[in-house]
Amino acid sequence: ISKEDDELLDKLLLPRDGIFGSKPACLEGTRVDIINTIVQWTQKDNTSSRFFWLFGVAGCGKSSVTASVIRNLRQDERFAGSIFCSRDEEQQRNPVRLIRMVSFYLAKKDQLYRDALVRVLREKDKLVGDNLDAQFELVLEEPLMGIKSQHNMEPSLLLVIDALDECEQVDSVMRCLTKLLELAPWIRICLTSRFSPDILSRLRGMQLAFEECNLFSSEYDARDDIRAYLQHVFKAGDLR
């Protein structure tokens, strides 16, 4: 991996304010079942289900669950990176930036893709414009098509995208993400959002199976989480 290649990727693909931000994780001992479900899904060696969609109403803890999953996977070689969207920050709601970050994370983890991407970027010299489809074709579709016959088909890299509903052009981004999975069988995506007909429609239109989980389901039993929270409060001496 050359220093020049690193500098090229950083210059062209990283947002001006650096890596997308993060959120606080769940309190230790809470939301254990769903966190374990997602972590175990990421560790399956061979599965046709390479998309996990966690959805729920605003404020039900999706971002905290995501942060907890990431905390569990930090040392896992299969974890490529995470993107946290936010409608309040220009960079974090920009769909072109999201696609570039996906490309950046994959390039940092996968040498075949990295080499193909660098060749494309050197030919183009710079990324022109903010058209989402053009950016997807340039930094993902073109290099991936170039290595499709050479790559291991087993799912090996995980991308985590939180709060996609807070990004602009959600339907177009979903079209890009589902196409990404069809181009690259070695990628998994874990996505969180509020419930969205656009997201559901795109997932059902894929030629691939997917997992979905409603975090605010009526089946959720909060008693263990409440118990864990109260134990934490008493232990910390924070109860007024």
Side-chain angles (χ1 to χ4, degrees), residues 46-190:
N46 187 9
T47 175
S48 60
S49 170
R50 292 187 289 114
F51 202 113
F52 195 109
W53 180 32
L54 179 68
F55 63 90
V57 298
C60 69
K62 302 182 294 295
S63 293
S64 295
V65 168
T66 304
S68 295
V69 169
I70 292 168
R71 184 174 61 187
N72 277 271
L73 296 174
R74 279 292 183 198
Q75 305 306 315
D76 192 324
E77 281 299 312
R78 290 172 289 193
F79 176 64
S82 58
I83 300 170
F84 290 81
C85 303
S86 171
R87 64 173 56 89
D88 297 327
E89 300 290 337
E90 181 182 355
Q91 291 288 337
Q92 295 184 20
R93 64 174 183 261
N94 186 324
V96 171
R97 285 298 189 182
L98 185 150
I99 291 302
R100 290 180 185 172
M101 283 303 299
V102 167
S103 176
F104 176 83
Y105 281 136
L106 295 180
K108 290 292 186 179
K109 281 288 189 177
D110 188 273
Q111 188 65 48
L112 269 177
Y113 171 73
R114 178 194 183 89
D115 291 344
L117 174 63
V118 167
R119 284 195 295 272
V120 170
L121 293 179
R122 290 201 185 283
E123 289 172 5
K124 307 295 182 182
D125 191 42
K126 59 182 179 179
L127 301 182
V128 180
D130 286 322
N131 179 276
L132 182 61
D133 289 334
Q135 294 297 311
F136 177 81
E137 181 179 350
L138 178 66
V139 301
L140 286 170
E141 185 172 14
E142 188 174 339
L144 285 171
M145 288 295 290
I147 63 169
K148 195 168 185 179
S149 62
Q150 308 169 49
H151 213 286
N152 177 18
M153 294 296 104
E154 296 294 328
S156 57
L157 288 182
L158 171 71
L159 292 162
V160 178
I161 302 173
D162 181 59
L164 184 65
D165 56 293
E166 298 197 24
C167 186
E168 297 170 355
Q169 302 180 47
V170 170
D171 184 57
S172 297
V173 173
M174 279 300 299
R175 174 166 42 79
C176 291
L177 294 178
T178 54
K179 189 171 185 179
L180 170 63
L181 291 188
E182 291 167 358
L183 286 167
W186 40 278
I187 295 171
R188 282 193 180 99
I189 295 175
C190 177

Side-chain angles (χ1 to χ4, degrees), residues 53-57 62 165 193-200 212:
W53 180 32
L54 179 68
F55 63 90
V57 298
K62 302 182 294 295
D165 56 293
S193 73
R194 300 182 192 185
F195 179 80
S196 165
D198 287 339
I199 293 176
L200 182 60
E212 60 180 302

Side-chain angles (χ1 to χ4, degrees), residues 226 229-240:
I226 293 171
Y229 171 74
L230 291 175
Q231 288 172 346
H232 171 78
V233 169
F234 279 114
K235 186 177 180 180
D238 290 339
L239 192 64
R240 300 290 189 268

